[in-house]
Amino acid sequence: MTTDEYDQYGAEEDPYALALRPGRAPVYLRLADGRRIRVPVHRWHEPPTADDETVLERCVGPVLDVGCGPGRLCRELLSRGVFALGVDIAPRAVALTCAQGGLAVCRSVFDRLPAERGWQTILLIDGNIGIGGDPHGLVRRCGRLLAPTGRLVIEAEHEDVEECSAARYESPQGRCGPAFPWARLGLRAVRRVAEDLAFSVTDQWTSGHRRFATLVHTGAGLRSRRM
């Protein structure tokens, strides 16, 4: 992506917005300490992978896909007859999701959302446990969106890490978007957050180089067996 290409689309479109265009150059996360991490944006625009399939098979509708991007997961669920709604703060992400047959709303997960306390599955995939830079606050919010017997499916970092910092999306040429708070959590950290917020980890697994966990409200499994 050249500077001319960037300017063609307008300075208001940071590298994240441009990454939502299929076929774009790589995009990176530049952390506050200077580290640069490549964001797998190619995966956002492709059909669900075998790793994604391990998530999809654990989804019970209705499903809320938080930070849905172009909506590959929620669109796939809809194609299988499972109701799924994406939510993303980027208008382009929502437009792409809907244009390709999905359903999505342009809001923050912390805004008022449809069917609060009615979602059976909430997805935080592609590192979206980092949204807001406050994993405790995000999981607490998702807990208020879940039905009493619902589940929260989280993708963790492959390595054992727990860090919160400012980050920026960056193009290969070093063009940065605005700073935002972000977090990176490995599975151990996800388990600690779950315990702090009265969630139980009922499942955790690795597929390829990706790691995942399923959280439910503590006691939800027992309540569901009694119903």
Side-chain angles (χ1 to χ4, degrees):
M1 181 175 64
T2 66
T3 301
D4 288 344
E5 283 179 299
Y6 188 100
D7 292 340
Q8 176 183 353
Y9 297 119
E12 74 280 1
E13 294 197 296
D14 63 37
Y16 171 65
L18 295 176
L20 293 169
R21 294 176 176 269
R24 286 285 144 194
V27 171
Y28 300 88
L29 268 184
R30 177 71 73 177
L31 303 182
D33 63 5
R35 284 176 295 157
R36 192 171 82 159
I37 300 170
R38 184 165 179 168
V39 180
V41 295
H42 62 282
R43 193 165 68 214
W44 301 354
H45 300 286
E46 296 173 354
T49 64
D51 301 338
D52 292 329
E53 184 62 37
T54 68
V55 172
L56 294 168
E57 68 190 13
R58 288 168 166 84
C59 290
V60 176
V63 178
L64 184 68
D65 184 5
V66 176
C68 65
R72 78 182 189 283
L73 298 181
C74 57
R75 287 187 283 110
E76 179 64 21
L77 287 165
L78 280 171
S79 76
R80 300 181 184 192
V82 178
F83 181 82
L85 177 71
V87 56
D88 202 291
I89 62 170
R92 187 179 302 284
V94 172
L96 282 169
T97 298
C98 295
Q100 297 177 81
L103 298 172
V105 294
C106 188
R107 298 180 197 173
S108 164
V109 65
F110 297 102
D111 293 337
R112 182 73 179 175
L113 293 172
E116 299 215 3
R117 298 191 182 275
W119 298 98
Q120 287 294 337
T121 307
I122 294 179
L123 301 179
L124 290 170
I125 305 302
D126 297 325
N128 284 334
I129 183 62
I131 289 173
D134 176 11
H136 282 82
L138 179 59
V139 172
R140 184 181 296 111
R141 170 58 176 154
C142 288
R144 293 170 179 164
L145 292 167
L146 280 173
T149 56
R151 65 190 67 180
L152 177 58
V153 182
I154 295 174
E155 180 172 359
E157 296 292 328
H158 184 71
E159 65 268 31
D160 186 15
V161 63
E162 183 174 7
E163 58 186 21
C164 301
S165 70
R168 296 174 183 268
Y169 284 106
E170 182 177 292
S171 74
Q173 291 74 29
R175 183 74 177 260
C176 287
F180 56 90
W182 193 249
R184 301 176 67 239
L185 271 67
L187 277 177
R188 288 187 184 180
V190 168
R191 295 185 71 94
R192 285 194 291 272
V193 171
E195 183 178 353
D196 289 347
L197 297 175
F199 277 88
S200 299
V201 177
T202 59
D203 190 15
Q204 66 179 57
W205 69 99
T206 298
S207 181
H209 293 289
R210 299 169 67 188
R211 306 183 76 184
F212 306 91
T214 299
L215 280 58
V216 301
H217 292 289
T218 299
L222 178 62
R223 288 197 299 272
S224 63
R225 288 194 293 270
R226 288 175 176 173
M227 291 176 64

